[in-house]
Amino acid sequence: MTEYEKTELGLFIEMIRTERNLSQRQLAELAGISNTEVWRLETGERRKPSPDVLKALAPHLEVRYEDLMIKAGYMGETLEHQHFTEMIFRDADGTVVDISKRAKEMYDKDSDWANMAYRISKELAPEDLAAIKAVANSLLNKNR
């Protein structure tokens, strides 16, 4: 172990990364962050990563962003609304650092699609989900 004391978050990221057979560099490249940042997180040098870093890592570790935020020490607050759940994260001072609102935005734009997307994420096999993501990314890139 380094001179830094590993944190719960650092151990968690390292464990998941190694389970996925990813090097620190590979994870960093997938997430679009520096491999030094991944090293800092895993060793405990970086104790309070930004929500943006955690948001970038979550899909490549295949964990929920909210779970990383809580492991990083952000306080989560759940607000239940009629058609969505909103997550608010605060730092130790009580300052809001992030609010997950996408479900509402997606629902407001197209409630049928929002419901379908939820079912797809919960009910389809990972390979089917990956195929849908590939098609969606292709369409999004075509329209840029």
Side-chain angles (χ1 to χ4, degrees):
M1 177 140 69
T2 68
E3 62 189 271
Y4 306 103
E5 187 176 324
K6 289 199 176 200
T7 62
E8 182 181 353
L9 174 67
L11 290 169
F12 182 72
I13 290 173
E14 181 180 33
M15 179 187 73
I16 299 297
R17 177 184 58 76
T18 55
E19 283 177 3
R20 305 261 183 295
N21 294 316
L22 293 170
S23 68
Q24 288 179 345
R25 183 174 302 281
Q26 289 169 322
L27 176 59
E29 287 174 2
L30 289 168
I33 62 175
S34 74
N35 62 305
T36 303
E37 184 65 11
V38 173
W39 176 85
R40 286 180 180 144
L41 286 167
E42 289 185 5
T43 62
E45 181 181 335
R46 173 83 66 230
R47 294 195 177 273
K48 200 61 139 181
S50 75
D52 290 339
V53 167
L54 298 176
K55 205 174 281 187
L57 289 170
H60 306 293
L61 292 171
E62 298 178 26
V63 297
R64 291 173 359 118
Y65 163 66
E66 293 85 357
D67 294 338
L68 289 180
M69 289 290 285
I70 291 167
K71 285 205 179 289
Y74 292 103
M75 296 173 280
E77 178 183 343
T78 304
L79 301 176
E80 296 291 335
H81 300 280
Q82 184 177 359
H83 298 292
F84 66 98
T85 300
E86 187 173 45
M87 289 291 298
I88 299 173
F89 293 99
R90 300 177 189 276
D91 63 15
D93 297 327
T95 303
V96 173
V97 294
D98 196 15
I99 299 173
S100 298
K101 292 183 177 180
R102 290 185 181 156
K104 181 180 181 350
E105 291 169 6
M106 186 166 62
Y107 189 88
D108 287 347
K109 183 167 177 77
D110 187 334
S111 62
D112 289 338
W113 172 248
N115 289 321
M116 187 184 314
Y118 178 79
R119 287 191 58 213
I120 287 168
S121 71
K122 296 292 183 189
E123 298 175 19
L124 290 184
E127 59 274 8
D128 294 332
L129 186 56
I132 290 171
K133 285 180 183 178
V135 170
N137 279 324
S138 174
L139 291 170
L140 289 170
N141 290 334
K142 181 176 122 181
N143 292 323
R144 284 186 183 181

